[in-house]
Amino acid sequence: MRSVSSSSPAMRWLLVALVIAVGAALAGLANRLPSPQPTDARATQFSADRAMRDVRSIAVRPHTTGSAEIEETRRYLTARMTALGLDPQVRSQVAISARRYLGDALIAGRMRNLVGELKGSDPALPAVLLMAHYDTAALSPGAGDDTSGVAVALEVARALKASGPQRRTVIFLFTDGEEAGLLGSTAFFASDPLRNSIGVVVNLEARGDSGRALMFQTSPGNAGLIDLYRRTVPSPAADSLLVTVYKRMPNDTDLTAAFDKGLPGMNFAFLGHQMAYHTMLSTPERLNAGSLQHMGDQVLPVVRALANAKILERPRKDLVFADLFGLHLVTYPIWLGWGLALVAACGVAAILTIALRRRTIGWRETLAGAGGLLVLQIGIVTALMLAMRVIVLALGEAASPYALIGQFGWLLAAAVFLGFGTGLLLLHAMAAGRPWMAMVGLGLAGLLVSLLGKAGWVPLGLAVAAMLLAFAGMRRPARLGGWFAGAAAMLGLLALALQVFLPHGAHVLVWPVLLLLPSLALVLLAPERMVQPFGLMLAALPAALIAGLMARSGHDFFLMIGTSLPAVIAPFILVTLLALTPLFRLTDHLSRAGGLCIALGLALCVGVAIKARAPTAETPDMVEVFHLDDIDRGRAQWVGGKLDRAGWVRRVLTQDGGTPRLQPIAPFAKDAQWVAAARPVRFARPELKLGLTGSGAARRIELVAANRNGGRLMRIYLRSSVDLTGLRLMDLPVSGTLKAGEWSPVAFHASGAERVRLTMSGGPSGRVEVALVEVRDGWPEGSKALALPANAIPYRRSHSSMIVARSSLTW
């Protein structure tokens, strides 16, 4: 784009660098963590150091639902709750999950929830429930997920007790079986005696062991809760865009069970350092006490305010909200959001109309700018998708499932540099009027993504669309005014569209458009001011604020899904790039700057691939080997998911002289596994009985199963020649049908040696096959204790034994 002035390019690029630095500093401000309060902090304050005592006591080893270790955890929590005067009760209940996870047709178990109460001065009022789960994923000590939540809840209980009786009773619920499928919370909200006395729920979670604690989910009609959160929390971390997006994701927490019963509530979690999520790395030493403090600094005032509220507001309207860099929570109703969106769009339209009437710009170059913004977006997305696919291919099949998660910082930096570099090179092509340059790059990148990726031909289709836009709008060198006007108008239209389809998240575009209005007015109506210090500063200040907002939101979204979908950061790069456009003339060495960013981004991508292939203590490889003993078929096997580079998996598989082969082990796994013969093991056969009860139309198939080897979990695989209906598990009704011809897995957790009874109807005639798998921790006695290689940890089903019994029934 041609300059209106010959002002120094060096000074302009220096200003651009300063704006980016200020934006990064604002994002850093938003993500700062408080210092952990010491153990001698005021009794009514939250102290992370005090909470860490519980983390160190609980997160010593994995304590999975149904394991012996969770019994120890339960005893510890019972003693702690007793010391706090909560009068804890263990609720033993059979629970059936209303949801299906990991392909299971049915998930159930015997849950043992811990419930305690801090009595209020008016116990007749609806209570406040503070909830966290005390079980962990297999093989994870769970310092983050969710011992951190349990420890925060205990410290909140201590602080509330120290401040004297609250108006309302506060109930503390530590659920069992969250990792298995929200079983403990499902049981509580289905039948616990206290469930009907609850007025509001606060849930605590974690998806890592660091980072700021986000208030990431609310119940519908959240105006009252958000207003209370705004008034009470000194360092808020919440955004209605994240809340809205999370609602559309296939994720659940214990709070889901409360929402299913119509209860209002809020969800808190921190997401940083996800290498620790469900792995052996989730230890007290790695847990960031500052994250714990940040969660407590939000949860304690929220629970205290709810517990002392005269009334708990009923759900009404939803609010738009977002924190300004952790300093203040901005909130407003939807109607005001519509007003801001219309002001933004009308402001752009008014400035654009005046400029067109003055003939400062023309329609053609304005339309080219609008199309150019879409070209930039598609180009940045395609470049990031291509980079990701190349990295994945470079890692190969032997890469750890967590390989890229461990390179979060490097991958984020690579995505930022590649995104800005791609945008700058496309801007250079637009400024020079060279559509072929952009078209060749877009076409080649889109073709490669389609050929190498798993998204089919969609990337190529988008690239072709961008090529057509480039051909239509880039055949003439663009001027700054017209291009910027068209791009701003397109962003305004996108903001309006977002307001229509995602009204609680539209502020992510509406606010930048509002902030761009001064720059747009200067560029179109007073271009001579853009070469003066006043004009540059007037454009630089909102650009810095936009850069900060985009960096904060982009970081949060990249933290959620960026290691699997780096292109999620593309819209935030695009908006930042647009805000910076008035500060440089698009003939000011754009190709050099873009090439430098691309080079840095590619270098970082190479660094990501190299570091991801070289495990370290902080980013270890993940290995998996389990023992499968099919007793009724007289066959024992070692099974591994993949072969690691260090050769450890192969050594375990071959320890009994077998030869590893990649083969299916249906129905116990969907994908082929590495399998080798194992020596016979003297496991007791799990109890499995099949029979018929009743007669005629009342005839039912009865299945009785029980663990006989100390297993923590049983999985029952059923395949019938007819549909199985009318299921009842432990005399509880189960919705759904087990389809004919398919293996249907039924999981039952923490049954111990208790007999599990499943009945169903199968029509007048048919045949059903059953494979019962008892899952116990540890390999069989006598197995070689092969030391793990340096920088490797077990995951998923590793270091467990699966003992199979089979039966069938024809009627």
Side-chain angles (χ1 to χ4, degrees), residues 374-705:
L374 299 179
V375 172
L376 285 178
Q377 182 67 105
I378 295 173
I380 294 170
V381 167
T382 306
L384 294 181
M385 290 177 66
L386 178 59
M388 182 64 175
R389 192 57 195 157
V390 171
I391 289 173
V392 170
L393 291 175
L395 292 178
E397 293 295 329
S400 163
Y402 278 51
L404 291 179
I405 293 175
Q407 309 306 321
F408 172 83
W410 285 65
L411 194 61
L412 175 58
V416 170
F417 277 111
L418 282 176
F420 272 104
T422 302
L424 289 171
L425 288 180
L426 287 172
L427 282 174
H428 169 70
M430 295 173 192
R434 298 174 183 172
W436 299 109
M437 181 190 302
M439 293 170 68
V440 170
L442 288 165
L444 183 60
L447 178 62
L448 288 174
V449 172
S450 290
L451 291 175
L452 300 177
K454 299 180 180 179
W457 297 105
V458 173
L460 181 59
L462 290 173
V464 169
M467 291 167 66
L468 294 174
L469 288 171
F471 180 75
M474 293 171 56
R475 286 178 291 174
R476 296 181 181 180
R479 295 189 307 155
L480 173 63
W483 188 91
F484 186 58
M490 176 56 70
L491 191 66
L493 290 175
L494 292 174
L496 275 179
L498 203 59
Q499 184 66 39
V500 172
F501 296 107
L502 207 67
H504 297 97
H507 59 280
V508 72
L509 290 184
V510 171
W511 292 3
V513 174
L514 289 170
L515 290 168
L516 281 175
L517 292 179
S519 297
L520 185 63
L522 282 172
V523 170
L524 297 187
L525 307 182
E528 68 282 355
R529 294 290 183 91
M530 288 302 297
V531 298
Q532 300 173 359
F534 172 78
L536 288 173
M537 292 306 298
L538 195 59
L541 289 175
L545 189 54
I546 291 172
L549 290 171
M550 295 300 101
R552 189 216 67 169
S553 296
H555 176 271
D556 287 346
F557 273 87
F558 204 87
L559 195 59
M560 290 172 64
I561 57 174
T563 53
S564 58
L565 186 65
V568 72
I569 204 172
F572 306 101
I573 293 174
L574 176 73
V575 174
T576 303
L577 194 60
L578 181 60
L580 294 173
T581 301
L583 300 180
F584 51 68
R585 291 297 182 244
L586 299 188
T587 51
D588 288 349
H589 311 299
L590 284 186
S591 60
R592 294 181 185 178
L596 178 61
C597 286
I598 291 287
L600 288 172
L602 291 176
L604 287 167
C605 286
V606 171
V608 167
I610 292 174
K611 286 172 67 64
R613 288 174 65 90
T616 67
E618 292 302 315
T619 59
D621 196 4
M622 308 283 178
V623 293
E624 176 189 31
V625 178
F626 60 92
H627 188 273
L628 181 65
D629 192 357
D630 200 334
I631 290 178
D632 290 329
R633 291 186 175 177
R635 184 172 62 196
Q637 297 169 315
W638 290 104
V639 183
K642 70 178 183 68
L643 301 179
D644 61 311
R645 292 191 179 94
W648 180 84
V649 171
R650 181 177 291 276
R651 289 195 296 275
V652 177
L653 293 176
T654 59
Q655 65 177 290
D656 293 327
T659 301
R661 292 183 175 85
L662 193 63
Q663 64 185 58
I665 59 167
F668 313 121
K670 290 183 178 180
D671 301 325
Q673 307 286 307
W674 287 98
V675 179
R679 63 178 175 81
V681 179
R682 292 185 177 179
F683 282 126
R685 182 183 184 274
E687 181 179 339
L688 176 60
K689 296 178 182 178
L690 279 173
L692 297 173
T693 62
S695 60
R699 183 171 60 188
R700 291 179 64 79
I701 303 164
E702 182 182 62
L703 183 155
V704 178

Side-chain angles (χ1 to χ4, degrees), residues 44-254:
T44 56
Q45 280 186 310
F46 183 93
S47 164
D49 283 358
R50 285 191 288 248
M52 283 300 298
R53 292 173 175 172
D54 289 314
V55 174
R56 295 187 188 98
S57 297
I58 296 171
V60 177
R61 60 184 67 87
H63 38 283
T64 313
T65 294
S67 66
E69 290 77 14
I70 203 169
E71 296 287 348
E72 296 178 23
T73 302
R74 196 154 41 238
R75 286 193 291 270
Y76 174 84
L77 289 175
T78 300
R80 285 285 288 118
M81 295 172 76
T82 300
L84 290 169
L86 302 181
D87 187 23
Q89 304 292 318
V90 178
R91 310 276 213 237
S92 178
Q93 300 162 276
V94 171
I96 299 175
S97 177
R99 288 167 170 75
R100 308 293 184 255
Y101 300 95
L102 303 176
D104 288 310
L106 171 62
I107 302 172
R110 179 164 292 284
M111 297 296 103
R112 295 161 179 88
N113 293 329
L114 281 165
V115 186
E117 296 179 81
L118 193 62
K119 292 291 186 180
S121 59
D122 190 351
L125 292 173
V128 179
L129 176 68
L130 183 57
M131 175 169 59
H133 68 89
Y134 72 98
D135 64 307
T136 68
L139 300 174
S140 176
D145 182 20
D146 189 27
T147 303
S148 62
V150 171
V152 167
L154 290 172
E155 173 63 4
V156 167
R158 186 209 55 76
L160 290 177
K161 185 177 180 181
S163 62
Q166 319 299 309
R167 176 179 277 114
R168 298 171 186 274
T169 294
V170 180
I171 300 172
F172 292 84
L173 170 63
F174 298 131
T175 62
D176 189 6
E178 191 271 353
E179 301 292 357
L182 315 185
L183 291 174
S185 58
T186 298
F188 179 87
F189 291 106
S191 59
D192 194 275
L194 292 176
R195 71 190 187 280
N196 293 324
S197 65
I198 295 168
V200 64
V201 183
V202 176
N203 187 57
L204 309 180
E205 261 290 359
R207 195 180 174 85
D209 64 3
S210 187
R212 65 177 185 156
L214 298 170
M215 196 286 291
F216 68 96
Q217 186 183 22
T218 69
S219 50
N222 61 29
L225 289 174
I226 293 303
D227 185 58
L228 179 141
Y229 179 81
R230 177 187 60 79
R231 289 185 285 105
T232 59
V233 173
S235 182
D239 193 319
S240 55
L241 173 62
L242 283 177
V243 172
T244 304
V245 171
Y246 182 81
K247 286 180 181 178
R248 289 161 170 77
M249 295 176 68
N251 297 325
D252 292 307
T253 68
D254 276 336

Side-chain angles (χ1 to χ4, degrees), residues 253-470:
T253 68
D254 276 336
L255 191 60
T256 305
F259 287 171
D260 287 345
K261 298 300 180 181
L263 288 167
M266 310 170 79
N267 223 341
F268 294 83
F270 42 82
L271 313 177
H273 190 231
Q274 294 185 17
M275 278 298 299
Y277 182 58
H278 288 180
T279 73
M280 291 293 290
L281 298 183
S282 187
T283 61
E285 294 74 26
R286 289 185 172 90
L287 181 63
N288 191 328
S291 299
L292 216 61
Q293 186 67 48
H294 191 229
M295 179 178 281
D297 285 346
Q298 297 178 79
V299 173
L300 176 58
V302 164
V303 172
R304 184 174 276 148
L306 289 169
N308 287 293
K310 291 182 179 179
I311 59 169
L312 295 176
E313 290 193 40
R314 292 184 177 181
R316 37 191 179 96
K317 57 189 177 182
D318 283 322
L319 293 181
V320 178
F321 56 90
D323 70 276
L324 285 180
F325 312 115
L327 301 175
H328 178 71
L329 190 74
V330 177
T331 67
Y332 51 82
I334 288 293
W335 64 262
L336 184 55
W338 271 105
L340 293 175
L342 291 173
V343 168
C346 291
V348 172
I351 296 170
L352 184 61
T353 301
I354 294 172
L356 287 169
R357 287 183 176 178
R358 293 182 179 180
R359 300 183 182 276
T360 306
I361 58 173
W363 277 108
R364 180 174 293 181
E365 59 184 340
T366 303
L367 291 174
L373 189 78
L374 299 179
V375 172
L376 285 178
Q377 182 67 105
I378 295 173
I380 294 170
V381 167
T382 306
L384 294 181
M385 290 177 66
L386 178 59
M388 182 64 175
R389 192 57 195 157
V390 171
I391 289 173
V392 170
L393 291 175
L395 292 178
E397 293 295 329
S400 163
Y402 278 51
L404 291 179
I405 293 175
Q407 309 306 321
F408 172 83
W410 285 65
L411 194 61
L412 175 58
V416 170
F417 277 111
L418 282 176
F420 272 104
T422 302
L424 289 171
L425 288 180
L426 287 172
L427 282 174
H428 169 70
M430 295 173 192
R434 298 174 183 172
W436 299 109
M437 181 190 302
M439 293 170 68
V440 170
L442 288 165
L444 183 60
L447 178 62
L448 288 174
V449 172
S450 290
L451 291 175
L452 300 177
K454 299 180 180 179
W457 297 105
V458 173
L460 181 59
L462 290 173
V464 169
M467 291 167 66
L468 294 174
L469 288 171

